[in-house]
Amino acid sequence: MDPSVFDPEGKSTLYFNFVRKPSAVYNSTTGSAVEPINGDLFRVELGRGENKNGPLRIETVFEGAVRHVTDAPAGFFVVTRGCFTESVEPIAVKIDLSVLRRETKPPAAPQRESGAAARRRESVASAAPAAPWIPQPWRYEPLAGVVELSGLPIECSSDHAAAARLLGDAIVAAGGEPPAVHTAIDPHRPAIRLRLGDAPVDAPAGGKAEEAYSLEAREESGVVITGAGPAGLHYGVQTLVAAIANTPVAIGGSVRPAVREMLVRDAPHFRYRGLHLDVARNFQSVATIRKVLDLMAAYKLNRFHFHLTDDEGWRLAIEGLPELTEVGGRRGYSPGFQEFLPPSFGSGPRPDVAPGSGWYSREDFIALLRYANERHIEIIPEIDLPGHSRAAIRAMQVRSERLRAAGDEAAALQFVLRRDSDGAEYESVQMWKDNVIDVRLESSVAFVERVVGDVASMYDEAGVAFRSIHLGGDEVPHGCWTDSNAPETLQQAALFASFMDRCAEIAASHGARSAGWEEVFLAEEGRAALRSGASAGGVCYAWNNIWGWGQEDAAYRLANAGVDVVLCNATHLYFDLAYEDTVDEPGYYWAGATDVEEVFRFQPYAYFDAPLRDRFGNPIPVSDREPMTRLSAKGQRHIIGMQGHLWGENLNSAERLEYMMFPRLLALAEIAWAGPADSRDADADPSRTWVEFEHHLAERELPRLRGFLGGVKYRPLANPTIAK
């Protein structure tokens, strides 16, 4: 470390972020210990001493394994006399990946395919998949002819102008002429006709009937897309757009926008097909969110779970509470870390730069609501309560201090979320010591009322229905509401349940159904009974199925009891996890590595019956799974869908976001729309095998992504099966 950044007259302080806790210092040039501050922020007090002419070396021991490059400390900066270094470049940090140590139990290579399946890999390498797009349609019949699209007009009502624009852009991108759009065209003239009607396909159990569509492409008449509802029409157009991109047809010696003749009958298996994105840990721009929504729409996903708040950031402006974004929406250095939030995840000392800092204005959010709605995507905002709330807590502390200094004591107490003198001692999973809202305060409930009310008003202004809001409810540490002066205080579980019920009632008063993580729906930890209450009538997002943690079958127990469940299984659907367990692969691994095949092979209705492995990669014997609750027929009706998750700790750029999202999102889209293999109609086209799906990715879909929407920075497949 270059000593020139230090104060020659006294002490300097080195700050950095790290996801591990220090356990001891066994050697340091200065003899100073690494001190935890809060969350993932640490410091070391540095003096020049005898080290003024040479580099400074600090060695320390941290708890837990260090297995991937993502584990490395980050965001180093030095503060001297109250001023921070402008960048980390003066500080040379060397991370020797060769000495990274693995967990005690090394990962084993999962055995996913039988010998017969492996032989099939070789035999089908040259076989094209049934349909030239993702997700696989319910029924697909390719015909012999070719339909050239350039020059064909589009017939549709003004209500479907967005679908017509989408199709027109695809034709132009493929080298065709911009199509003329009319509300009525001579029925004898070839055209592309977009209409609503009775799509001749029955939606599968659980799917939404209005999302069904049919598509008929004929040389003599053109293309007719019939949607059972506006969403169905939109999905039919997306299918045609994908067919244009993925089935180039040579006409007259050149490739022009055209498709093979075909008949398609299609509808989704799940009515909820979602993607979760955390922008609290690392902020993503409006442009990035719009691109994510476009990618979701292209692959027929219809729910965007927008994780807007957490300990490390509050990303949505709320009218009358500017501190939420001015304080909670910025991270950086200030004396005592009082002015805004401290750096996290290597975001550095400057408070005016992304991804550590940033938020969406009211106008931004309203525009995103309209943008998503036009693509038939519902945005489900998440305001994470009562844990994961340090950004809100600190922002409201600053507000209270400002109003108290102005002499307005009543206003100062209006939205206080935590009392400094509450005596609680706890530490969250992410090492925060003050991140839980005090649910005993009426001001906490008043805060929720203000925030939810303002969010509802944004939906109203956007002209978009406010149907659902996610209220968090996960990972509340023990001891957060302990009060030694009040032994009669209710148990934490009861306090938590009461607060979440009140929050659900607030959401209902604005016409929205509440949603929460599985902790909201369980009476106690472990394999305990389900609880009742207003929030228990919401939608459960079940995530914690890690083997050995005690909640492996919680999703099925909840669904069997009549709770609507969105499957969010961390082992298969967390896209922030590393693709593979190698040192230089970005992403966490606490639930194991998750590659594209792992996502594709997920069985929503019977994940205990599929080959399973623990988080170290070791196979789980069938005998160990026998005590687990299986999904009943009633329970299957309450599995309303599934969702991929992108937590933001390592999403420090739009490029990293796309890398972690693709191609795993394509496997999610396939399962969520087409459904598991045993759910399909016997007369329908068979579901793709993994080999067929992998072949399609390598030959068609990933090449398409290279230029789609300005290009997608996907992760290449490791060893794809390519047609010879």
Side-chain angles (χ1 to χ4, degrees):
M1 184 177 299
D2 186 348
S4 65
V5 299
F6 304 134
D7 182 4
E9 304 298 330
K11 290 186 176 181
S12 300
T13 304
L14 172 69
Y15 292 93
F16 64 95
N17 297 117
F18 197 27
V19 295
R20 298 288 182 262
K21 295 176 64 175
S23 58
V25 173
Y26 63 88
N27 185 16
S28 170
T29 306
T30 65
S32 300
V34 174
E35 300 177 70
I37 299 176
N38 208 348
D40 68 336
L41 184 64
F42 297 86
R43 71 182 172 201
V44 182
E45 297 294 343
L46 305 170
R48 291 290 295 234
E50 299 177 355
N51 199 55
K52 61 184 178 181
N53 296 318
L56 178 67
R57 179 181 179 86
I58 300 170
E59 297 180 3
T60 188
V61 175
F62 286 82
E63 296 177 359
V66 176
R67 284 165 49 177
H68 292 191
V69 66
T70 305
D71 290 321
F76 291 86
F77 65 96
V78 169
V79 173
T80 299
R81 296 180 179 179
C83 298
F84 60 79
T85 52
E86 282 297 322
S87 73
V88 301
E89 297 199 359
I91 306 174
V93 179
K94 181 180 180 182
I95 301 167
D96 187 355
L97 296 180
S98 67
V99 300
L100 292 185
R101 296 181 181 178
R102 295 193 174 275
E103 305 250 7
T104 304
K105 200 173 186 181
Q111 297 180 354
R112 292 177 177 144
E113 292 185 302
S114 65
R119 288 190 294 274
R120 176 169 169 74
R121 172 182 289 277
E122 299 176 1
S123 66
V124 303
S126 62
W133 58 82
I134 292 173
Q136 177 93 331
W138 202 249
R139 287 183 174 83
Y140 168 67
E141 182 182 351
L143 304 175
V146 172
V147 182
E148 186 171 359
L149 301 176
S150 186
L152 289 184
I154 296 176
E155 178 187 273
C156 70
S157 74
S158 58
D159 292 338
H160 309 309
R165 284 196 304 273
L166 173 68
L167 182 53
D169 290 345
I171 291 171
V172 171
E177 295 296 321
V181 181
H182 305 281
T183 56
I185 295 175
D186 182 345
H188 302 292
R189 179 185 177 186
I192 302 172
R193 294 178 167 85
L194 311 180
R195 58 183 57 163
L196 298 182
D198 294 328
V201 60
D202 294 328
K208 296 179 70 174
E210 63 269 26
E211 293 183 323
Y213 70 91
S214 65
L215 186 157
E216 184 171 345
R218 301 279 190 179
E219 277 189 276
E220 65 274 12
S221 57
V223 179
V224 177
I225 299 174
T226 304
L233 181 63
H234 166 78
Y235 296 133
V237 169
Q238 290 287 7
T239 291
L240 184 59
V241 167
I244 295 170
N246 284 345
T247 54
V249 180
I251 301 174
S254 63
V255 176
R256 299 207 292 267
V259 294
R260 299 287 182 186
E261 286 189 314
M262 63 179 133
L263 298 175
V264 177
R265 305 289 184 266
D266 204 5
H269 181 83
F270 286 121
R271 67 178 184 267
Y272 186 113
R273 308 176 301 280
L275 178 69
H276 162 283
L277 177 61
D278 165 18
V279 295
R281 273 57 178 268
N282 277 309
F283 181 71
Q284 303 293 338
S285 69
V286 169
T288 297
I289 301 302
R290 287 164 66 102
K291 185 175 181 180
V292 167
L293 292 169
D294 284 333
L295 289 165
M296 289 178 62
Y299 296 103
K300 301 182 175 71
L301 300 180
N302 65 353
R303 298 289 191 278
F304 182 54
H305 180 172
F306 209 177
H307 189 89
L308 292 162
T309 75
D310 217 292
D311 298 320
E312 300 85 2
W314 183 286
R315 305 305 187 184
L316 180 62
I318 298 297
E319 189 173 356
L321 300 178
E323 294 85 0
L324 282 173
T325 47
E326 292 172 2
V327 177
R330 294 197 294 167
R331 296 204 301 257
Y333 175 79
S334 63
F337 298 102
Q338 296 298 304
E339 194 173 337
F340 22 73
L341 302 180
S344 288
F345 310 115
S347 58
R350 294 185 59 189
D352 54 349
V353 297
S357 299
W359 64 84
Y360 309 106
S361 67
R362 182 182 181 89
E363 293 73 24
D364 289 336
F365 191 67
I366 289 170
L368 286 173
L369 289 174
R370 291 170 175 160
Y371 194 83
N373 190 61
E374 190 174 75
R375 287 150 182 77
H376 300 277
I377 295 171
E378 178 186 348
I379 292 182
I380 301 172
E382 181 178 355
I383 308 298
D384 207 345
L385 306 163
H388 287 282
S389 296
R390 190 180 188 277
I393 290 168
R394 180 62 194 141
M396 292 301 95
Q397 285 175 333
V398 171
R399 178 184 185 276
S400 181
E401 291 162 4
R402 175 179 62 80
L403 291 169
R404 185 170 286 112
D408 193 343
E409 184 67 20
L413 297 174
Q414 187 178 9
F415 299 120
V416 169
L417 300 179
R418 181 177 180 269
R419 296 172 296 185
D420 292 334
S421 60
D422 64 6
E425 294 185 6
Y426 59 87
E427 184 175 273
S428 74
V429 175
Q430 291 80 20
M431 299 183 289
W432 294 101
K433 301 173 179 65
D434 55 356
N435 76 328
V436 181
I437 289 172
D438 191 337
V439 300
R440 299 166 295 185
L441 302 176
E442 283 300 314
S443 53
S444 296
V445 177
F447 173 80
V448 177
E449 289 177 334
R450 168 62 70 86
V451 170
V452 174
D454 198 50
V455 170
S457 74
M458 294 186 219
Y459 278 79
D460 185 60
E461 187 172 338
V464 175
F466 182 40
R467 296 189 179 95
S468 181
I469 184 170
H470 199 292
L471 298 171
D474 61 320
E475 296 185 327
V476 177
H478 288 292
C480 55
W481 301 311
T482 300
D483 189 341
S484 59
N485 297 320
E488 71 281 358
T489 299
L490 294 174
Q491 293 181 353
Q492 180 166 319
L495 286 167
F496 172 79
S498 176
F499 179 75
M500 296 308 296
D501 286 347
R502 294 186 71 178
C503 292
E505 290 163 358
I506 291 168
S509 72
H510 293 283
R513 188 182 187 187
S514 67
W517 302 110
E518 66 196 48
E519 291 93 324
V520 175
F521 300 83
L522 299 172
E524 299 171 10
E525 289 187 354
R527 297 175 56 79
L530 310 182
R531 71 172 194 83
S532 60
S535 57
V539 177
C540 171
Y541 289 61
W543 65 275
N544 184 4
N545 72 313
I546 295 87
W547 193 260
W549 286 17
Q551 298 287 12
E552 297 89 339
D553 60 356
Y556 288 171
R557 288 189 289 116
L558 288 160
N560 290 349
V563 177
D564 285 343
V565 172
V566 175
L567 294 175
C568 308
N569 299 46
T571 55
H572 291 75
L573 302 175
Y574 269 34
F575 298 168
D576 58 300
L577 297 176
Y579 281 91
E580 60 182 27
D581 192 18
T582 56
V583 166
D584 57 355
E585 186 68 47
Y588 288 151
Y589 48 84
W590 56 268
T594 302
D595 62 11
V596 185
E597 186 176 355
E598 196 81 27
V599 180
F600 181 84
R601 292 185 183 278
F602 180 64
Q603 295 188 20
Y605 298 139
Y607 55 75
F608 290 120
D609 297 333
L612 289 182
R613 56 192 177 94
D614 63 22
R615 61 196 183 102
F616 303 104
N618 300 306
I620 299 171
V622 173
S623 59
D624 290 355
R625 307 179 219 163
E626 289 177 356
M628 296 294 145
T629 300
R630 266 43 176 200
L631 194 64
S632 67
K634 173 186 175 182
Q636 183 167 322
R637 293 192 295 272
H638 286 282
I639 300 294
I640 65 172
M642 52 190 294
Q643 177 168 276
H645 282 70
L646 280 161
W647 293 100
E649 291 91 337
N650 297 304
L651 304 183
N652 53 15
S653 67
E655 291 75 16
R656 172 63 65 80
L657 185 157
E658 292 176 6
Y659 179 95
M660 303 305 284
M661 183 164 53
F662 283 94
R664 288 185 281 203
L665 180 131
L666 301 175
L668 167 73
E670 180 80 4
I671 303 167
W673 181 275
D678 58 3
S679 71
R680 297 179 69 94
D681 191 310
D683 296 328
D685 294 327
S687 296
R688 291 186 175 116
T689 65
W690 160 247
V691 176
E692 291 166 339
F693 184 76
E694 182 190 38
H695 167 83
H696 178 86
L697 289 181
E699 289 281 87
R700 287 178 169 155
E701 211 62 45
L702 296 184
R704 177 196 182 194
L705 287 177
R706 292 171 196 157
F708 189 44
L709 299 172
V712 175
K713 306 295 184 182
Y714 62 85
R715 183 187 188 275
L717 295 172
N719 294 294
T721 300
I722 304 293
K724 303 299 183 183

